[in-house]
């Protein structure tokens, strides 16, 4: 009689586990999902310590891949959004009163070529000192956000090109990201918000081809 009671007791435990435990015989678990056997995991995943994970022998990285970064806000420049649009010769150009945040380890930017002399494509005199400059000077204009209302006037920045060369240059002007398409701006549309507008001397020091017109660089305060 005791033997029959034991069998009934064991059977009740078995059915209890089936009812209350995770029913995985037909389940296909994804990354970190519960599992008991290799068949419980989807694709090339295997069961490790009760959870589906990458197979170290195969070298899969399905579960270890980082989550994709969210797209930047519309308008570009990280958290910097457009403040409007300027119509110029039938085209619409975004206007920015901000620039991407300054990063002391190296802020990404686009280096453009500017003629700071009288009658050049820079338009009027430099805003910092209200004079024209020779293109033999290592000088730059910064997008409106980085120009910061003139707070960087007269200060030096260090520009690094992708070829590893660096140059220090003096901030003398604003590359206007709000206004343009007039005589003051030599008819040019507003600058993008991530521009370092350098003289010919800056380009030469970096040994860049001025015919390229625009090249990616990084800059920091010197």
């Amino acid at each position: 009689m005791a033997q029959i009671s034991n069998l009934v007791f064991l059977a009740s435990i078995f059915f209890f586990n089936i009812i209350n435990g995770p029913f995985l015989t037909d389940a296909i678990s994804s990354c970190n999902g519960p599992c008991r056997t290799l068949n419980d995991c989807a694709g090339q995943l295997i069961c490790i310590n009760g959870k589906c994970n990458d197979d170290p022998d195969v070298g899969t990285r399905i579960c270890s891949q980082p989550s994709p970064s969210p797209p930047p806000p519309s308008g570009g420049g990280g958290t910097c959004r457009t403040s409007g649009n300027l119509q110029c010769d039938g085209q619409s150009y975004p206007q920015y009163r901000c620039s991407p945040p300054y990063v002391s380890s190296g802020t990404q930017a686009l280096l453009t070529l500017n003629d700071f002399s009288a009658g050049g494509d820079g338009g009027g005199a430099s805003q910092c000192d209200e004079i024209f400059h020779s293109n033999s000077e290592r000088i730059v204009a910064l997008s409106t956000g980085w120009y910061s209302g003139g707070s960087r006037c007269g200060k030096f920045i260090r520009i690094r090109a992708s070829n590893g060369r660096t140059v220090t240059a003096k901030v003398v002007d604003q590359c206007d990201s709000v206004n343009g398409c007039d005589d003051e701006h030599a008819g040019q549309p507003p600058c993008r918000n991530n521009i370092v507008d350098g003289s010919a001397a800056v380009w030469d020091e970096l040994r860049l081809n001025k015919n390229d017109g625009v090249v990616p660089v990084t800059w920091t305060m010197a």
Side-chain angles (χ1 to χ4, degrees), residues 140-164:
V140 296
L142 297 178
S143 290
T144 295
W146 290 335
Y147 181 72
S148 188
S151 65
R152 287 195 167 101
C153 279
K155 297 181 179 179
F156 286 83
I157 66 171
R158 179 172 289 105
I159 306 166
R160 178 180 294 275
S162 58
N163 60 14

Side-chain angles (χ1 to χ4, degrees), residues 2 28 40 42 47 57 63 73 83-84 90 99 122 133 163 170 186 217-218:
I28 299 296
D40 296 330
C47 189
D57 294 328
C63 297
S83 59
S99 291
H133 288 266
N163 60 14
K170 183 179 179 180
V217 295
T218 59

Side-chain angles (χ1 to χ4, degrees), residues 116 128-129 133 137-142 152-157 159 168-173 197 202:
F116 290 87
C128 289
D129 50 20
H133 288 266
E137 299 178 62
R138 295 198 297 270
I139 51 179
V140 296
L142 297 178
R152 287 195 167 101
C153 279
K155 297 181 179 179
F156 286 83
I157 66 171
I159 306 166
T168 57
K170 183 179 179 180
V171 178
V172 299
D173 203 359
D197 206 15
V202 169

Side-chain angles (χ1 to χ4, degrees), residues 50-138:
K51 290 186 177 181
C52 293
N53 215 321
D54 292 307
D55 188 341
D57 294 328
V58 176
T60 56
R61 296 178 57 84
I62 301 169
C63 297
S64 60
Q65 288 180 346
S67 300
S69 301
S74 60
T79 57
C80 178
R81 297 177 181 272
T82 60
S83 59
N85 292 279
L86 181 66
Q87 299 297 321
C88 180
D89 295 330
Q91 287 187 290
S92 180
Y93 296 92
Q95 297 169 296
Y96 292 97
R97 298 184 184 276
C98 55
S99 291
Y102 172 76
V103 181
S104 60
S105 59
T107 305
Q108 294 184 349
L110 295 176
L111 178 68
T112 52
L113 179 63
N114 187 36
D115 184 350
F116 290 87
S117 64
D121 57 14
S126 297
Q127 289 189 23
C128 289
D129 50 20
E130 298 183 350
I131 63 174
F132 292 99
H133 288 266
S134 167
N135 292 305
S136 61
E137 299 178 62
R138 295 198 297 270

